[in-house]
Amino acid sequence: LTAQPFIIEITQDSRDPLPVRVVNNVPFEAYIHGIKQNGTTAQTITLTSAVFELYDSNGDVVSFKLGNKEHTKLSTDENGVFSTPLKIKSGVYTIKEIETPKGFIKWELPITVTVSNDTISYDDKGNAFVEIKISNERPEGKVLLSKVFEENENLDDETLEAGFEIRTSTP
């Protein structure tokens, strides 16, 4: 973090030492918060089925040790939000979507996230975080149906009707 400016005032020639100022340059760390949203409506996708992996600038998967277990996957909660469980050091990271909520198209491109003084916000507890939004589109299409009736001299053209039922299934 950038240190706050301070003034050193010299008013006369003196051989006494000036007061010592300590500038604490602890390596900067922050959380990454991600929000899944519908690419068309920008509404949050409140599904728990999106899973991501975080990669460092060397292309290695970032793992988080919590207790005796190491975690490499970041999953959305019931609010469509995921977060790194621990703070990560400043730098450039890549997020890749591993699993996508059902009914949405997978985001294939990696997402670059920069953790720095310029990209952070603070939550109500004073924790630094970088927020990203990841949009997925719902596949859309049109189904055009037409019914061609066989010619039959006993049928009246005005009484001919056809009904259709469309069913969807997911693979």
Side-chain angles (χ1 to χ4, degrees):
L1 292 173
T2 305
Q4 295 296 321
F6 56 89
I7 298 173
I8 298 175
E9 188 174 325
I10 302 173
T11 57
Q12 62 184 355
D13 185 14
S14 172
R15 303 292 176 219
D16 295 330
L18 294 172
V20 175
R21 295 280 184 166
V22 177
V23 178
N24 187 1
N25 282 335
V26 175
F28 177 72
E29 295 181 332
Y31 295 99
I32 293 178
H33 294 293
I35 300 171
K36 282 296 282 181
Q37 63 182 20
N38 184 318
T40 305
T41 65
Q43 291 179 323
T44 301
I45 301 171
T46 55
L47 300 171
T48 59
S49 56
V51 180
F52 303 90
E53 284 183 330
L54 182 66
Y55 295 84
D56 63 18
S57 58
N58 296 325
D60 298 324
V61 175
V62 176
S63 64
F64 302 94
K65 188 168 184 173
L66 301 171
N68 294 333
K69 295 184 179 181
E70 286 204 27
H71 301 272
T72 59
K73 306 236 185 299
L74 305 170
S75 300
T76 54
D77 62 16
E78 63 277 356
N79 297 315
V81 176
F82 70 89
S83 183
T84 55
L86 302 171
K87 291 181 180 179
I88 58 174
K89 293 180 181 178
S90 64
V92 178
Y93 295 87
T94 304
I95 294 178
K96 294 181 183 176
E97 188 168 24
I98 306 302
E99 295 177 30
T100 305
K102 290 181 181 176
F104 288 88
I105 300 171
K106 183 176 182 180
W107 185 266
E108 296 291 342
L109 300 174
I111 299 161
T112 302
V113 180
T114 302
V115 177
S116 73
N117 288 342
D118 300 330
T119 62
I120 62 165
S121 298
Y122 290 93
D123 64 16
D124 55 357
K125 295 179 183 175
N127 293 314
F129 69 92
V130 176
E131 184 176 271
I132 59 168
K133 294 184 179 181
I134 301 171
S135 299
N136 289 97
E137 301 290 331
R138 282 191 181 269
E140 293 183 5
K142 292 181 181 181
V143 177
L144 301 175
L145 299 172
S146 64
K147 173 70 176 162
V148 178
F149 291 97
E150 296 178 13
E151 287 192 31
N152 188 328
E153 58 192 54
N154 297 328
L155 296 176
D156 181 5
D157 284 344
E158 299 207 9
T159 60
L160 298 177
E161 292 183 13
F164 298 97
E165 183 176 315
I166 298 175
R167 296 182 184 178
T168 63
S169 64
T170 55

